[in-house]
Amino acid sequence: MPDDAEEIARVHVTAWSETYRGLLADDVIDSYTVARRRERWERILTQEAPGAATFVAEADGQIIGFASTLPQRNPDMRPVAEGEIAALYLLSSYHRQGFGTALWHACLTELRRMGWGRATFEVHRGNAAAIAFYDAQGAEFHMPADADHLIYTVAL
């Protein structure tokens, strides 16, 4: 899977721009480059940690979305949830076709496999489409993370 780093980075940058343009400053959006994301994804895809997994969605032989899980990174959230959905991104032209739901369920399956009971994830408070998706998946608002992000939990 480390060979997928370039394609995942491309999807990450494109989906991030599609999602956050207008919510974040243009210079922040433009600072996300495929080269920088590729380096990060090469590291992520070669790390071995229990509960750390990355899943991809493909259409016509191309990666069009991805999601990743991790053990809980936030020490304050460890009493609430053992796992974390660290990312779920999908190119906008593939929204509402079941790809996001499939990625979501892959994450939940992996976190359950670890024997964990709950997971958290963060969402930008201005990302109405993502919030509606997570609400439809049964996730629950937990608390604000900061001025711009919300923490949700999901039972596994």
Side-chain angles (χ1 to χ4, degrees), residues 92-132:
S92 63
S93 58
Y94 293 94
H95 286 188
R96 305 193 61 81
Q97 297 178 42
F99 294 106
T101 301
L103 289 168
W104 173 259
H105 286 290
C107 288
L108 298 184
T109 298
E110 173 64 17
L111 294 166
R112 280 187 203 109
R113 188 183 71 74
M114 296 304 302
W116 297 335
R118 291 192 80 70
T120 64
F121 58 93
E122 288 188 20
V123 62
H124 192 284
R125 70 174 61 242
N127 190 347
I131 291 170

Side-chain angles (χ1 to χ4, degrees), residues 41-156:
W41 278 105
E42 286 170 347
R43 285 192 308 273
I44 291 169
L45 295 173
T46 57
Q47 75 182 4
E48 293 183 26
T54 299
F55 306 95
V56 297
E58 294 181 335
D60 300 320
Q62 300 291 313
I63 294 175
I64 52 135
F66 68 90
S68 60
T69 62
L70 292 169
Q72 184 59 247
R73 294 177 289 180
N74 182 340
D76 294 335
M77 294 306 296
R78 287 188 189 132
V80 175
E82 306 93 333
E84 180 178 345
I85 299 172
L88 196 162
Y89 286 94
L90 185 65
L91 298 176
S92 63
S93 58
Y94 293 94
H95 286 188
R96 305 193 61 81
Q97 297 178 42
F99 294 106
T101 301
L103 289 168
W104 173 259
H105 286 290
C107 288
L108 298 184
T109 298
E110 173 64 17
L111 294 166
R112 280 187 203 109
R113 188 183 71 74
M114 296 304 302
W116 297 335
R118 291 192 80 70
T120 64
F121 58 93
E122 288 188 20
V123 62
H124 192 284
R125 70 174 61 242
N127 190 347
I131 291 170
F133 172 80
Y134 296 131
D135 286 344
Q137 301 304 316
E140 300 171 351
F141 171 73
H142 182 70
M143 62 185 274
D146 57 36
D148 295 323
H149 297 90
L150 306 171
I151 295 175
Y152 276 72
T153 64
V154 61
L156 301 170

Side-chain angles (χ1 to χ4, degrees), residues 3-87:
D3 295 343
D4 291 336
E6 178 82 21
E7 274 196 84
I8 293 172
R10 178 189 52 77
V11 170
H12 198 168
V13 169
T14 302
W16 207 78
S17 178
E18 291 172 344
T19 300
Y20 296 113
R21 182 113 16 222
L23 293 176
L24 302 176
D26 285 345
D27 61 326
V28 172
I29 298 292
D30 297 338
S31 72
Y32 255 53
T33 65
V34 172
R36 288 179 59 202
R37 291 282 103 184
R38 182 186 64 245
E39 289 176 13
R40 181 172 174 153
W41 278 105
E42 286 170 347
R43 285 192 308 273
I44 291 169
L45 295 173
T46 57
Q47 75 182 4
E48 293 183 26
T54 299
F55 306 95
V56 297
E58 294 181 335
D60 300 320
Q62 300 291 313
I63 294 175
I64 52 135
F66 68 90
S68 60
T69 62
L70 292 169
Q72 184 59 247
R73 294 177 289 180
N74 182 340
D76 294 335
M77 294 306 296
R78 287 188 189 132
V80 175
E82 306 93 333
E84 180 178 345
I85 299 172

